[in-house]
Amino acid sequence: MPLVNTKEMFKAAYEGGYAIGAFNVNNMEIIQGIVEAGKKLNAPLILQVSKGARAYANHTYLVKLVEAAVEETGLPIALHLDHGPDFETCKSCIDGGFTSVMIDGSHLPYEENVALTKKVVDYAHAHGVTVEGELGQLAGVEDDVNVSAEDASYTNPDQVYDFVTRTGVDSLAIAIGTSHGAYKFKPGQKPQLRFDILEEVSKKLPGFPIVLHGASSVVPEFVEIINNYGGEMPDAIGIPEEMLRQSAQMAVCKINIDSDLRLAMTAAIRKYMAENPSHFDPRQYLKPAREAIQGMVEHKINTVLGCGGKA
Ligand code: G3H
Ligand code: 13P
Ligand code: ZN
């Protein structure tokens, strides 16, 4: 099976009350860990690449690695551009083998977001590529964009029908209180998501796939390992898993996870290095790192996404 776009995945996910995991990839071990989990649990996958990942690992290396993952596993896998910053980057990914792109115009004035998103949709659809747009702004850091909690804004449900019909997007990322990175809530603050907004949005867009960014749970077990082995991540707090599960049973069909993979990988490497100070063969510490990624993705599929057995 070749790489797929997200159309059929999202249709089945919406109807089945589950979500597809969209995992950020930056190197071979991350890709291998994710797809091993997908293979074991027979889960469809979205592997997503940010502007920063393309700059780090090179477009062609990432595409070839993901193509190898498809060949090795036979799973339905979509290769997606995460937070596409402009038309040119989206076009380069569409021309270069991606099957899905996000155009992130969420920081733009509404009409500019509509115009840019429509331009990407027109080009993408002519090439069989699906498009994710965004309305509303999450707090947190992604690539070189840093949005403070004060500047973040929830999605306005009154805009979503107009945005989706005028742009032709295939899915829509909304802001309901998730945020990028490992510090999503202040210590002592009660984690909360605006399920009322999600509910309103899905009433305006019946059957339409919604995307949640900033959806790592910042699994405490891994933060603890990092802190126990010389790291300093005090007060790292994520989205409670039961809230994510609830959103997956609603209209959310794609849940973005990056920080939890970073934590799992870093925790495994820190622990290995501390316990084996004389080792210096990268394979020795990248093997447990890859296994930690696999374990994290299996956990997400079983506990949060509900997409096991749906490939
Ligand atoms: O939302 C952003 C993702 O976590 C990607 O992060 O831009 O550092 O690659 P990055
Ligand atoms: P996290 O930082 O919560 O993993 O979010 C990742 C994300 O939204 C990628 O687009
Ligand atoms: Zn994101």
Side-chain angles (χ1 to χ4, degrees):
M1 179 189 278
L3 280 166
V4 297
N5 68 26
T6 57
K7 196 101 202 154
E8 292 307 315
M9 272 185 195
F10 286 168
K11 187 168 182 291
Y14 197 100
E15 286 164 5
Y18 61 89
I20 315 291
F23 300 100
N24 286 74
V25 300
N26 294 280
N27 69 12
M28 183 183 78
E29 283 76 11
I30 296 173
I31 292 171
Q32 288 176 330
I34 297 165
V35 301
E36 273 310 305
K39 192 161 87 177
K40 186 165 157 195
L41 299 176
N42 198 31
L45 293 167
I46 298 171
L47 301 182
Q48 57 186 10
V49 169
S50 68
K51 177 183 156 201
R54 282 177 97 224
Y56 170 77
N58 171 298
H59 176 98
T60 310
Y61 279 92
L62 290 169
V63 171
K64 299 291 176 197
L65 285 167
V66 171
E67 284 172 355
V70 172
E71 195 177 316
E72 284 294 317
T73 62
L75 287 173
I77 296 178
L79 174 55
H80 174 77
L81 170 65
D82 190 26
H83 294 284
D86 48 40
F87 176 79
E88 290 67 32
T89 308
C90 292
K91 181 177 183 301
S92 160
C93 287
I94 294 164
D95 295 346
F98 282 44
T99 52
S100 178
V101 294
M102 174 188 191
I103 175 69
D104 185 353
S106 60
H107 56 287
L108 296 172
Y110 181 74
E111 287 300 329
E112 286 177 39
N113 189 1
V114 169
L116 174 61
T117 305
K118 182 171 169 20
K119 187 176 173 190
V120 171
V121 168
D122 288 346
Y123 189 79
H125 284 182
H127 294 79
V129 169
T130 40
V131 180
E132 174 185 328
E134 179 163 350
L135 269 181
Q137 268 200 291
L138 274 65
V141 184
E142 99 231 359
D143 274 330
D144 38 14
V145 182
N146 187 346
V147 182
S148 70
E150 297 74 48
D151 290 338
S153 56
Y154 294 118
T155 301
N156 176 357
D158 290 334
Q159 287 181 330
V160 298
Y161 181 80
D162 183 73
F163 186 82
V164 165
T165 47
R166 284 174 64 201
T167 59
V169 281
D170 303 280
S171 61
L172 182 68
I174 63 169
I176 60 167
T178 61
S179 63
H180 291 108
Y183 302 89
K184 300 186 192 293
F185 299 98
K186 297 203 172 73
Q189 189 186 1
K190 190 167 174 274
Q192 259 172 344
L193 293 187
R194 291 288 303 273
F195 283 104
D196 58 320
I197 295 179
L198 175 56
E199 192 73 56
E200 264 313 283
V201 166
S202 43
K203 274 193 200 135
K204 307 260 184 194
L205 298 171
F208 190 81
I210 299 302
V211 177
L212 273 196
H213 282 248
S216 278
S217 295
V218 188
V219 177
E221 179 192 334
F222 290 93
V223 177
E224 199 178 312
I225 296 172
I226 289 174
N227 287 333
N228 286 343
Y229 287 94
E232 280 185 25
M233 294 195 67
D235 307 331
I237 303 172
I239 314 291
E241 288 182 336
E242 59 279 9
M243 290 188 189
L244 297 166
R245 184 75 199 104
Q246 189 182 336
S247 72
Q249 285 159 349
M250 297 168 72
V252 172
C253 294
K254 173 174 179 271
I255 291 189
N256 283 13
I257 298 165
D258 187 2
S259 295
D260 274 329
L261 301 183
R262 296 178 179 193
L263 289 167
M265 189 164 201
T266 301
I269 292 173
R270 276 194 179 275
K271 184 167 186 289
Y272 187 89
M273 292 299 203
E275 289 173 352
N276 301 278
S278 64
H279 288 189
F280 64 97
D281 178 344
R283 292 172 297 187
Q284 290 173 316
Y285 57 84
L286 288 175
K287 190 164 179 285
R290 182 170 60 190
E291 286 163 359
I293 296 269
Q294 180 180 342
M296 178 63 79
V297 174
E298 285 180 24
H299 172 75
K300 295 288 173 185
I301 291 170
N302 288 329
T303 314
V304 169
L305 302 162
C307 60
K310 309 292 187 185

